[in-house]
Amino acid sequence: MSTNNTIKFNVGGKHFEVSRDLIEAHSETMLGKLVSEAWQADPEETVFIDRDGDIFAYVLIYLRYGSIELPPAIPKSSFEREIDFFGIVPKEGEVKHNSIADVMVSLRRDVDIAKSNLDDMKRKYDMFLFAVEVNHQYTIKKKSFDDQESVQIKVAELNVSSISTGRSSSGSLSGAENKLLLRYLDEYFGLNSGKVIPSLNANGWFFVTRK
């Protein structure tokens, strides 16, 4: 048995120096046979293998850890071709791979989720801004009409142009937006607009009361 602790490989022009223990632990493979005393007369000699050196690096990773997750740039079929050549038979689930297409699908999903989250945050911000404007107008009008229980709020008097941009001519709020607005009016300002669904149309109006 050789006393040399490492083995040198030249695989397709790429050079590797590997622990002899690692290769001898897989003596049943072609690599194990190539460095055995029966095949390698000189343990110091570099073993040349005419295969893909880039993929061989991943073959060694698999041998070290018993599993591998291949990067998208390495096709799984190419890796399987190489380990088959070396007589390595992985068990099911030991070789994982995300193709470029898989990565693109995953990133597209992340983008869609991010857009959905952004839309949700924009909706919450818009409705809170709406509630702030409603409270501002309510406070002003309540001073002038203190005897009135309800105060009429006109959309034209609110600074909500940034919210109304891009909406239909009716300017109607969605059900989700209306629920948010009512919640913010109640939770932060103690106001109640009843069941009226406000519109962002300049001619729109609704009543607000203090709870």
Side-chain angles (χ1 to χ4, degrees):
M1 180 177 291
S2 172
T3 58
N4 198 357
N5 294 327
T6 62
I7 304 168
K8 296 177 182 178
F9 291 103
N10 176 354
V11 184
K14 290 187 176 294
H15 293 267
F16 301 86
E17 188 166 357
V18 187
S19 163
R20 180 172 290 276
D21 288 342
L22 174 65
I23 303 303
E24 290 182 347
H26 301 276
S27 58
E28 76 286 357
T29 67
M30 176 182 284
L31 288 174
K33 291 180 172 61
L34 283 174
V35 300
S36 66
E37 293 181 353
W39 286 71
Q40 190 183 29
D42 181 4
E44 299 287 343
E45 184 180 0
T46 298
V47 179
F48 175 75
I49 306 174
D50 190 14
R51 301 298 295 185
D52 190 318
D54 292 328
I55 297 180
F56 185 71
Y58 294 99
V59 173
L60 292 177
I61 292 173
Y62 172 78
L63 292 179
R64 287 189 185 102
Y65 303 109
S67 64
I68 189 169
E69 186 166 343
L70 297 170
I74 303 294
K76 187 177 181 180
S77 59
S78 297
F79 178 79
E80 289 174 338
R81 182 182 62 228
E82 294 302 301
I83 60 174
D84 181 66
F85 172 82
F86 290 116
I88 301 169
V89 182
K91 295 178 182 178
E92 185 175 354
E94 290 181 343
V95 179
K96 298 179 181 179
H97 180 253
N98 285 325
S99 67
I100 292 176
D102 291 335
V103 174
M104 291 179 68
V105 168
S106 177
L107 291 175
R108 179 73 259 177
R109 189 183 304 114
D110 290 344
V111 168
D112 291 341
I113 292 173
K115 283 183 177 179
S116 177
N117 290 339
L118 182 61
D119 289 343
D120 184 56
M121 293 303 298
K122 177 69 165 56
R123 180 166 53 250
K124 290 178 179 178
Y125 175 81
D126 285 348
M127 291 307 100
F128 188 76
L129 176 60
F130 199 149
V132 169
E133 286 295 316
V134 170
N135 179 66
H136 178 65
Q137 286 300 317
Y138 176 87
T139 302
I140 293 174
K141 291 190 174 186
K142 191 61 177 172
K143 289 179 181 179
S144 302
F145 305 99
D146 190 53
D147 59 328
Q148 295 183 11
E149 183 178 343
S150 298
V151 172
Q152 185 185 50
I153 303 295
K154 296 180 180 179
V155 173
E157 298 171 339
L158 302 175
N159 182 20
V160 291
S161 58
S162 63
I163 302 175
S164 59
T165 301
R167 291 180 181 270
S168 63
S169 57
S170 68
S172 296
L173 301 180
S174 69
E177 288 174 324
N178 186 60
K179 287 181 179 179
L180 274 175
L181 177 58
L182 295 178
R183 180 185 133 202
Y184 292 154
L185 287 173
D186 177 23
E187 183 176 339
Y188 294 99
F189 306 107
L191 298 176
N192 185 0
S193 66
K195 296 182 179 179
V196 176
I197 298 178
S199 168
L200 293 177
N201 188 286
N203 298 320
W205 57 271
F206 51 96
F207 285 99
V208 173
T209 60
R210 181 70 67 184
K211 290 179 58 183

